[in-house]
Amino acid sequence: MASADVAAATTAPSPARPGTHRLRWQTLPVAVFLLALFVVPVVTLLSISFFDNDGSPSLEHYKRLVDVPLYGKVLLATIKVAFFTMLFCIVGAYPVAYLLATSRKSTRNWLIILVLMPFWTSVLVRTFAWIVLLGRKGAVNQVLTAFGITDAPVQMIYNFTGVMIGMTHALMPLAVMTMLAVMEGIDPNLTKAAATMGAKGGTRFWRIYFPLTMPGVASAALLVFIASLGYFITPALLGGPQDTMIVQLIIFQIREVLNWQFAGAIGVLLVITFMLIFMIYDRVFGLSVIGGAARTASPAEGSMIRNYAGRVGTAITWGLAQITDAAITVFARWVPARRGGVGFSRGGLYLVCALIFAFIALPTLFVVPVSFTSEAFLTWPPKLFSLQWYQMVFESPVWLGAATRSFVVALITASVGMLFAVPCAFALARDNFRGKSALFGLVFAPLIVPNIFIAVGLFFLFSRIGIAGTTLAVVLGHTVIVIPYVVVTVLAVVKGYDRNLDHAAATMGASRMQTFHRVTFPVIRSGMVASFMFAFIISFDELTIALFVTGGRVTTLPKLMYEDALLAVSPRLAAVAALLLVSMSIVILASELIRRKGGFGLGTK
Amino acid sequence: MTECKNKLTIRGLTKRYGSATALDRVDLDLVDGEFLTMLGPSGSGKTTLLWAVAGLNDPDGGEIWIDGRDATHVPASGRDIGMVFQNYALFPHMTVRENISFPLEMRKVPAANRPQAIRRALEMIKLEHVGDRYCSQLSGGQQQRIALARAFVANPSIILMDEPLGALDKKLRDHLQLEIKRLHDELATTVLYVTHDQEEAMVMSDRICLMNGGRIEQIGTPDELYFRPATLFAADFLGESNLISGRIVGEDADRLVLELPGIGTLRAPSTTPYEQGAGIVHFTRPESLSILSGTEIKDNLVRGEVADVVVSGALTKVFVSVGDGATLQVSQLTSVSQRVRKGELLTIGWDADVGRVFADNRREVA
Ligand SMILES: Nc1ncnc2c1ncn2[C@@H]1O[C@H](COP(=O)(O)OP(=O)(O)O)[C@@H](O)[C@H]1O
Ligand SMILES: [Mg+2]
């Protein structure tokens, strides 16, 4: 792979304005909240693993981890799943991100919605859709047998293939958005400049554009890998027994055998894996590559491995450039009318991207028709038409109760999250104060730490203070999860806000209150609304925390769906999924429109 | 009572960013109705000064008086100013009319009087028809004029402008320079203007304040700055100049006698006191020099060979090598008949009065 050093040419960030160096009171609620409900529980969970079940210090759990071969095997399987998910996501997402980065702004905005759709739709709904599509009697198998391509149904889920399909589908949007962020920042004139120097299409792409996108590729790879390591929903529903992920072992230890200490030890194992990955990553790319930051490091500063990787990368891209140029030359000779193969490569890109978009957007829709089946099982094509499953859902107090609870929890979580995180985001965006980078670390840690740690840690804490199994417990847990998202989105809004507007208002005689009320808030309002919706959806969809901290009759919709799906994916579940899909899509489109309307008339930003 | 009362008085204004000093004990007076331009290279502290006057940053020392009142610690909202920002800072969620109405509202102008003030402002900037549009729907030049209208509509004591034309193309800039001048005259208002473009400063200003490294280098009319620069920096920054190093060898009939390597002996206006043998830099403007036809006599005569001739429209620039690697530039009006050719040998001359002598430590000897 090419080195990140090649990207050094892009502009350095402008120096921050030094403000006053005092701790900011606005950041206190977030800091205290995360310390109490994130740091303390996670650290507690990991540290109890060093005690035996009677409470005296011991390494017995680690001995068991090493002695029983199962755990090593599961760890390897987990890494294998994460690695291939990363690979498929990067390969699939790169052309899409490239298309988005190089298309007109209006087109791009709509394509982005298409890419983000699966990101926003519940993981459970998406997973059900794959079961509908790929099951023994699913749509794909029906088509295959109908056309006589296969005589027996092909086993596509409940194995590694199923896990790969589900996880790639789930995480590809993350890869697209991460790479897009970097690609958008690449000056399109660079490749044009290369063209004036005589570089052909292949050389322009591989030697100029591709190396510049490497920071994006590298950070997308890391994010997908990390996210995959902590995944369990898709493997649990689409995988076979041999596709068990390490997180499922933790869940088993807590939910079935109640062995906290051993669960903690597995957690430590996962943490060590994380750290190893970060270390390797840092050696090869440098951690600063994440988010495209610090692209100014000179080649001399990297480690030896990084320099070596850089040289190998240069050699590889050079080779690829030669091959592509040769291919284009040959192709141009065959099809001389098409002027140097430019139209050809763009056409190929459209085709590939259309396939990937179809993979991203279409499968989920399959839950809708099957929900209207009149049969008791999921079949394809469904025997239409019956509303019995919808009726069943709407008449069930359990489902209605869970849906109501999820709605209320999401509403409160989003409100509390905004209340805490907005002032914090303002301080982070505008001021320099002592402990700012530590605060950044604290706020973003819940994004990197797998939810399972937070969930189990909170369960442990809540059990002790006696609020486990309550709605309050879910709200607190979800608030931990949404804070980083709210901070990120609000930070973007606040950073994009031109402070000269405030200054202008002041010179016209507006007081601070008037300035905020008449100028600042109206301008950032739509961004705030979008951020609120973001938090709402995350909480509404959240499963891991709910799985642990709720109990008995207190359940959320995702938890109910998950537990139902573990038994069987029934048409009733499809009805719930369809309802969720439609209502969520409306919410997402609405929030997107509100956010866009923030542009005020034509042509801003 | 003096006739000219000060609109703005600045005394000892100092502003530091960390260890860097952005403003170093600046004194400035702005007379009622004056158009004063802060001119200087990028980073010389122009914006910092303007923001201090506006109350948008906290000075580390010094005083700011506006309209005879101490405004040093008055917040921006209480200073009765109008300001045009470089990026205009038009409120994107308000229409043009609402933007212009905002300062009136904030100053509690009765709602009944506002529409007329807004209409008048829109008339003055000749944009009567765009009142109900959003600013993002207007061109750069139109946005600029809206920003102007918003700054003057409430009749502030001083209007501050920070490179208001920086984002526009040359043609539009030239047009708006005159437009702003016209508004200044019609409104009879006081303007503190910032630019790094010396031509703009020359065209628009009653007085120019030349800034360098957080200090004021010179304040004066455009004419004074151009023909009587106080410092080597001022001479070098404004327009073109011939700067030649040499030393003082004596005095003769109230003229300094200079010895310049490669050129010989020159005469320049006397300075008291002068120091025999001191290193100096001799300064002339290219248009003060002339090519002599043979019979003319000037105080200083130098022979040389024409190295290059450049015709830049109305002016022709003749570069003459005068020996020892030194080159003198002579600018004359382009004429069809009188042509100088490359390689030609000729004599250039000027009277002692048009030259200036600066000490080599960058301060004028005078
Ligand atoms: N907010 C700031 N933080 C740190 N340094 C600043 C800041 N604003 C200005 N400076 C520094 O102060 C000096 C003067 O800047 P400025 O007033 O913007 O110059 P000008 O407007 O003449 O280009 C520069 O050296 C600049 O780097
Ligand atoms: Mg400036």
Side-chain angles (χ1 to χ4, degrees):
Chain A
M1 292 188 141
S3 86
D5 303 326
V6 185
T10 36
T11 51
S14 57
R17 284 168 163 236
T20 39
H21 290 258
R22 271 176 290 121
L23 194 72
R24 292 298 154 130
W25 62 266
Q26 302 99 301
T27 64
L28 270 181
V30 165
V32 170
F33 188 86
L34 288 182
L35 279 176
L37 293 178
F38 169 68
V39 176
V40 168
V42 170
V43 170
T44 311
L45 171 70
L46 298 180
S47 42
I48 57 169
S49 66
F50 297 98
F51 295 88
D52 66 16
N53 295 9
D54 302 323
S56 27
S58 139
L59 287 177
E60 68 173 72
H61 303 295
Y62 291 94
K63 193 163 165 342
R64 181 167 157 209
L65 270 183
V66 177
D67 288 349
V68 182
L70 169 76
Y71 301 109
K73 270 199 342 224
V74 171
L75 180 63
L76 280 184
T78 306
I79 292 175
K80 178 179 150 197
V81 165
F83 179 80
F84 281 101
T85 305
M86 173 195 86
L87 209 63
F88 290 130
C89 280
I90 296 296
V91 170
Y94 194 95
V96 173
Y98 178 75
L99 181 75
L100 290 180
T102 53
S103 44
R104 256 181 297 119
K105 193 145 197 160
S106 51
T107 324
R108 181 196 317 172
N109 282 340
W110 289 110
L111 289 179
I112 284 179
I113 295 194
L114 207 58
V115 172
L116 286 184
M117 222 48 171
F119 204 61
W120 290 109
T121 355
S122 159
V123 185
L124 290 164
V125 175
R126 279 182 276 161
T127 313
F128 298 162
W130 285 115
I131 295 173
V132 171
L133 206 56
L134 302 178
R136 282 180 69 79
K137 293 190 175 165
V140 173
N141 266 324
Q142 295 298 339
V143 171
L144 288 180
T145 37
F147 284 95
I149 301 170
T150 54
D151 0 301
V154 183
Q155 178 84 21
M156 285 176 289
I157 49 173
Y158 309 127
N159 57 16
F160 187 69
T161 315
V163 176
M164 277 301 106
I165 292 175
M167 291 194 50
T168 307
H169 187 238
L171 293 172
M172 200 188 277
L174 178 64
V176 172
M177 297 316 287
T178 314
M179 292 199 265
L180 180 61
V182 171
M183 288 183 185
E184 276 180 330
I186 296 174
D187 182 355
N189 286 335
L190 292 177
T191 46
K192 292 194 185 110
T196 65
M197 296 172 220
K200 293 193 190 128
T203 307
R204 289 204 297 270
F205 179 79
W206 289 110
R207 304 271 321 269
I208 308 293
Y209 194 82
F210 184 74
L212 288 175
T213 61
M214 270 320 284
V217 173
S219 36
L222 183 72
L223 288 180
V224 171
F225 197 96
I226 295 290
S228 310
L229 280 182
Y231 236 62
F232 72 93
I233 301 169
T234 316
L237 295 176
L238 291 179
Q242 72 286 357
D243 303 306
T244 303
M245 303 280 280
I246 200 121
V247 172
Q248 287 165 274
L249 294 184
I250 300 180
I251 297 177
F252 178 80
Q253 288 301 323
I254 303 282
R255 305 233 319 165
E256 312 293 328
V257 280
L258 269 175
N259 191 342
W260 293 94
Q261 288 84 353
F262 188 59
I266 304 176
V268 170
L269 182 67
L270 193 54
V271 169
I272 293 171
T273 315
F274 265 59
M275 298 214 285
L276 280 176
I277 286 160
F278 274 112
M279 263 173 58
I280 296 170
Y281 186 89
D282 188 36
R283 275 293 155 85
V284 181
F285 301 106
L287 274 179
S288 53
V289 154
I290 298 172
R295 283 195 241 147
T296 43
S298 71
E301 282 172 34
S303 68
M304 263 184 44
I305 299 177
R306 206 182 307 165
N307 284 338
Y308 181 71
R311 249 172 279 146
V312 171
T314 311
I316 293 176
T317 49
W318 184 84
L320 286 169
Q322 298 300 315
I323 294 168
T324 315
D325 280 344
I328 290 176
T329 315
V330 169
F331 189 85
R333 200 169 303 152
W334 281 349
V335 191
R338 307 225 35 185
R339 287 215 275 145
V342 174
F344 161 72
S345 44
R346 196 76 190 172
L349 180 67
Y350 284 137
L351 185 69
V352 170
C353 287
L355 289 176
I356 298 170
F357 277 128
F359 171 75
I360 289 177
L362 290 185
T364 317
L365 301 179
F366 279 75
V367 296
V368 179
V370 294
S371 66
F372 293 107
T373 185
S374 52
E375 289 178 311
F377 302 98
L378 286 182
T379 49
W380 193 267
K383 288 236 162 48
L384 300 176
F385 169 93
S386 160
L387 287 176
Q388 56 175 326
W389 304 112
Y390 288 92
Q391 193 183 357
M392 199 183 253
V393 171
F394 281 112
E395 280 172 3
S396 152
V398 180
W399 283 101
L400 287 185
T404 313
R405 178 164 299 101
S406 280
F407 187 83
V408 172
V409 165
L411 212 57
I412 299 175
T413 300
S415 312
V416 175
M418 294 289 286
L419 212 62
F420 280 12
V422 169
C424 178
F426 264 86
L428 284 175
R430 293 187 165 179
D431 305 326
N432 259 348
F433 48 91
R434 203 172 309 137
K436 181 172 175 175
S437 38
L439 184 66
F440 254 111
L442 180 64
V443 167
F444 292 113
L447 276 182
I448 300 174
V449 173
N451 287 1
I452 184 79
F453 287 177
I454 306 171
V456 177
L458 282 177
F459 184 28
F460 191 74
L461 179 74
F462 290 164
S463 313
R464 289 206 180 159
I465 57 177
I467 59 166
T470 63
T471 305
L472 173 66
V474 198
V475 170
L476 290 177
H478 283 185
T479 306
V480 172
I481 307 233
V482 300
I483 279 177
Y485 288 98
V486 175
V487 172
V488 171
T489 45
V490 175
L491 206 58
V493 173
V494 176
K495 285 218 154 154
Y497 178 79
D498 178 7
R499 288 199 79 182
N500 275 345
L501 297 180
D502 289 353
H503 296 144
T507 62
M508 288 177 238
S511 67
R512 273 163 180 266
M513 274 304 290
Q514 283 171 316
T515 304
F516 185 79
H517 175 69
R518 296 286 309 274
V519 179
T520 319
F521 186 68
V523 173
I524 61 176
R525 178 172 45 209
S526 50
M528 297 289 153
V529 172
S531 176
F532 179 88
M533 299 238 194
F534 198 17
F536 180 92
I537 293 169
I538 288 169
S539 164
F540 194 80
D541 256 3
E542 205 285 333
L543 172 62
T544 317
I545 305 255
L547 205 53
F548 284 89
V549 304
T550 61
R553 282 170 298 115
V554 180
T555 180
T556 65
L557 193 57
K559 185 182 180 189
L560 198 59
M561 289 167 75
Y562 180 70
E563 291 185 332
D564 212 34
L566 284 180
L567 300 175
V569 177
S570 62
R572 183 181 59 182
L573 214 43
V576 177
L579 284 172
L580 212 52
L581 179 66
V582 172
S583 48
M584 279 305 182
S585 303
I586 291 170
V587 172
I588 293 155
L589 283 178
S591 66
E592 186 61 22
L593 287 179
I594 290 174
R595 203 178 60 74
R596 300 241 172 118
K597 232 193 84 203
F600 307 106
L602 303 168
T604 37
K605 291 175 199 116
Chain B
M1 287 252 91
T2 47
E3 200 184 7
C4 303
K5 63 180 200 300
N6 274 355
K7 268 284 168 188
L8 173 69
T9 305
I10 296 175
R11 288 289 172 268
L13 193 65
T14 300
K15 172 75 188 167
R16 280 182 285 269
Y17 288 110
S19 60
T21 306
L23 286 180
D24 190 4
R25 287 161 295 164
V26 168
D27 298 331
L28 187 68
D29 293 285
L30 201 55
V31 178
D32 193 5
E34 190 176 26
F35 195 118
L36 189 134
T37 299
M38 315 287 311
L39 175 67
S42 167
S44 56
K46 308 181 297 290
T47 299
T48 308
L49 180 78
L50 207 68
W51 279 42
V53 174
L56 295 172
N57 62 19
D58 252 337
D60 294 303
E63 290 175 3
I64 298 169
W65 294 69
I66 297 175
D67 258 341
R69 278 176 296 131
D70 183 358
T72 317
H73 301 292
V74 177
S77 53
R79 290 197 183 191
D80 189 27
I81 46 173
M83 182 150 174
V84 181
F85 291 76
Q86 178 161 9
N87 68 351
Y88 316 140
L90 295 172
F91 302 131
H93 60 300
M94 295 184 191
T95 61
V96 167
R97 194 182 304 283
E98 287 165 342
N99 262 284
I100 298 178
S101 165
F102 192 83
L104 299 173
E105 278 175 61
M106 291 303 124
R107 292 191 164 101
K108 308 221 161 49
V109 174
N113 302 352
R114 285 180 218 153
Q116 193 191 335
I118 297 169
R119 188 155 19 85
R120 210 176 74 90
L122 283 171
E123 271 166 20
M124 291 199 72
I125 57 166
K126 300 180 185 139
L127 284 176
E128 297 94 329
H129 51 287
V130 301
D132 295 315
R133 292 213 225 150
Y134 284 98
C135 298
S136 55
Q137 297 166 315
L138 303 176
S139 72
Q142 287 173 323
Q143 291 186 14
Q144 210 288 324
R145 282 187 278 167
I146 304 296
L148 275 176
R150 197 178 63 171
F152 72 66
V153 68
N155 255 325
S157 323
I158 308 176
I159 298 180
L160 309 171
M161 304 193 200
D162 191 359
E163 313 216 5
L165 307 178
L168 305 174
D169 61 56
K170 174 98 177 83
K171 193 116 187 182
L172 201 53
R173 215 160 56 215
D174 291 347
H175 173 70
L176 282 170
Q177 282 171 8
L178 300 178
E179 197 84 331
I180 292 176
K181 270 307 281 180
R182 180 179 64 78
L183 282 173
H184 170 244
D185 290 343
E186 280 177 31
L187 296 163
T189 173
T190 313
V191 175
L192 184 56
Y193 191 93
V194 163
T195 183
H196 65 265
D197 179 342
Q198 46 160 310
E199 238 180 85
E200 194 166 297
M202 294 279 198
V203 169
M204 303 180 75
S205 322
D206 297 326
R207 283 195 303 157
I208 296 175
C209 170
L210 185 63
M211 301 274 299
N212 181 29
R215 291 162 178 270
I216 292 179
E217 198 79 18
Q218 185 175 3
I219 305 183
T221 63
D223 211 55
E224 277 169 359
L225 256 79
Y226 191 77
F227 287 108
R228 286 197 297 284
T231 65
L232 197 52
F233 174 84
D236 203 21
F237 187 80
L238 283 164
E240 290 171 311
S241 51
N242 292 309
L243 296 171
I244 304 166
S245 302
R247 58 194 180 81
I248 301 177
V249 291
E251 201 176 13
D252 166 38
D254 281 356
R255 299 283 161 81
L256 276 185
V257 183
L258 312 174
E259 178 68 38
L260 306 181
I263 294 178
T265 320
L266 286 185
R267 267 147 232 276
S270 184
T271 54
T272 47
Y274 70 91
E275 198 185 319
Q276 188 86 18
I280 49 90
V281 177
H282 180 261
F283 155 89
T284 48
R285 291 280 176 213
E287 55 271 30
S288 314
L289 273 49
S290 46
I291 295 167
L292 302 184
S293 53
T295 55
E296 285 170 277
I297 289 296
K298 299 267 181 182
D299 293 347
N300 296 308
L301 301 173
V302 178
R303 274 193 74 73
E305 179 186 338
V306 176
D308 209 349
V309 181
V310 177
V311 181
S312 65
L315 275 188
T316 299
K317 300 172 183 177
V318 182
F319 296 89
V320 182
S321 300
V322 291
D324 222 28
T327 304
L328 288 177
Q329 184 188 336
V330 184
S331 296
Q332 11 175 247
L333 287 178
T334 306
S335 81
V336 193
S337 52
Q338 270 183 303
R339 278 285 163 92
V340 199
R341 264 167 245 296
K342 213 165 151 172
E344 203 174 305
L345 285 172
L346 42 68
T347 305
I348 40 186
W350 66 92
D351 281 328
D353 299 342
V354 303
R356 310 220 14 114
V357 172
F358 301 109
D360 228 358
N361 62 9
R362 306 218 146 215
R363 283 276 152 210
E364 196 185 7
V365 175

